Amino acid sequence: MPRATNSVATKARKKRVLKQAKGFFGRRKNVWTVAKNAVEKAMVYAYRDRKQNKRNFRALWIMRINAGARLHGMSYSQFMGKLKANNIELNRKVLADLAMNHPAAFTAIVNKIK
């Protein structure tokens, strides 16, 4: 008896992977074996970088808060320590936005904790 292959499922799977490879350069977009590897690697990067993105933003916010605090003669760690001591519960994202886009509001927070 001949071996039966489910070519409908195989074609659908290949079509799905090639659709995911749309926009890739060269053979990565249209050759099955190359596209399969490229898409697999892209998924690994996407998973890893969703976590990396959170770290990068936190680091950016800390830099912005530090710059804003230093304009008022404080370091980042002193600033955050005094915030916690005064029970001001603003997260780093909000504080960074205030330091960058609303300096008057950031100055008011600094004056409150000094």
Side-chain angles (χ1 to χ4, degrees):
M1 190 172 176
R3 186 172 73 94
T5 58
N6 189 352
S7 59
V8 175
T10 304
K11 187 168 168 58
R13 185 166 52 249
K14 287 183 178 183
K15 190 176 176 184
R16 187 174 66 236
V17 169
L18 288 171
K19 189 176 178 187
Q20 285 178 309
K22 184 181 173 191
F24 287 10
F25 184 81
R27 289 192 297 173
R28 295 163 69 93
K29 72 172 165 283
N30 54 16
V31 176
W32 161 244
T33 50
V34 181
K36 180 170 63 89
N37 292 333
V39 166
E40 219 170 79
K41 189 70 170 174
M43 293 294 186
V44 170
Y45 284 143
Y47 177 80
R48 181 197 68 188
D49 291 341
R50 279 196 296 276
K51 280 119 191 89
Q52 193 72 47
N53 207 26
K54 293 167 181 63
R55 293 178 218 156
N56 290 341
F57 269 105
R58 184 181 169 96
L60 176 68
W61 297 332
I62 288 171
M63 280 184 245
R64 287 178 176 175
I65 295 167
N66 191 21
R70 286 188 186 277
L71 289 174
H72 299 286
M74 300 170 83
S75 70
Y76 169 78
S77 60
Q78 291 169 336
F79 178 75
M80 293 307 282
K82 289 183 180 180
L83 274 181
K84 298 278 184 276
N86 286 295
N87 293 324
I88 298 174
E89 293 181 8
L90 290 174
N91 64 17
R92 286 167 181 79
K93 182 177 178 179
V94 171
L95 286 168
D97 183 57
L98 290 175
M100 200 168 164
N101 300 322
H102 308 284
F106 191 78
T107 304
I109 292 170
V110 171
N111 291 337
K112 184 155 176 66
I113 63 174
K114 272 190 175 177

